[in-house]
Amino acid sequence: MLTPLLTVVLSATLARAHLAPFHKSMYALNGVSGTVNLNNDDVVHPLYQLTKDQWWLHAYNNVPDFPPADGEFLELPAGESFTVEIASNQGETSLSFGGQFASDWPDGHTYPEDYNVPTCITSPNMHTQNETRAAGTAFAIAYTSDIKQVTPDNLAVFTVRYHTPWKRVTSYDVPAGMPACPSGGCICAWGWVRRRPSSTPPNL
């Protein structure tokens, strides 16, 4: 199964993100300026205090106007898994600068394996105290290759990865009975329910 990867939030409740999955099949790879931006973070900007018309599919900064290159797809092998790079900036992934600024973590830096901040980890901005408290991320799929036809009603969550976002390289399982996409591919969306610890202010 092949699908263009669109990194978007799934609903208004998922709209305060500072990380996103990167893959060569994504919308807005290299940014939305019309020139190649290897430090692209356009899909990472928090979608906050916007109307639905603005935040849906990152319309406010024109992400849907920058589709993946022809022939670039994210493969979703039924019964197996696929991998993306969750990061705060494309420059901190293998997709830019030959990966020289990438690390095991989403922001290119290094942290202890048992990284823990009692209030909230903000570097990278994961909105959790530690890995066990990370609320989880999900991918949903719409069985259309036309992004203008994607709606909240035809997006269906098909995989969830608990205790993420955490490390940069993250894999998701594909159900064995996953139906095939149409010939032009499907559209996928990524969502993240960020957790706000009770000890932190509501606008974290």
Side-chain angles (χ1 to χ4, degrees), residues 77-166:
E80 299 180 40
S81 63
F82 65 95
T83 300
V84 295
E85 298 179 58
I86 296 177
S88 56
N89 185 299
Q90 183 178 318
E92 295 153 354
T93 73
S94 66
L95 298 172
S96 293
F97 309 112
Q100 64 177 309
F101 300 113
S103 74
D104 289 343
W105 297 86
D107 64 355
H109 296 292
T110 302
Y111 304 94
E113 286 299 313
D114 60 351
Y115 193 21
N116 183 81
V117 176
T119 52
C120 185
I121 294 173
T122 58
S123 180
N125 210 337
M126 297 189 286
H127 295 290
T128 186
Q129 296 102 324
N130 52 53
E131 183 177 11
T132 64
R133 296 280 294 166
T137 58
F139 270 90
I141 191 167
Y143 279 81
T144 176
S145 56
D146 182 357
I147 194 170
K148 294 178 181 177
Q149 300 300 315
V150 178
T151 71
D153 294 327
N154 64 16
L155 269 175
V157 172
F158 68 93
T159 187
V160 174
R161 179 58 64 199
Y162 297 111
H163 307 302
T164 61
W166 191 246

Side-chain angles (χ1 to χ4, degrees), residues 3-8 10 20-23 25 74 76 82-86 136-142 155-161 170-175 178 187-192:
T3 175
L5 171 63
L6 175 64
T7 54
V8 298
L10 301 182
F22 287 82
H23 188 273
S25 66
L74 173 66
L76 303 179
F82 65 95
T83 300
V84 295
E85 298 179 58
I86 296 177
T137 58
F139 270 90
I141 191 167
L155 269 175
V157 172
F158 68 93
T159 187
V160 174
R161 179 58 64 199
T170 304
S171 295
Y172 296 81
D173 298 326
V174 181
M178 191 86 165
I187 301 290
C188 276
W190 181 80
W192 168 21

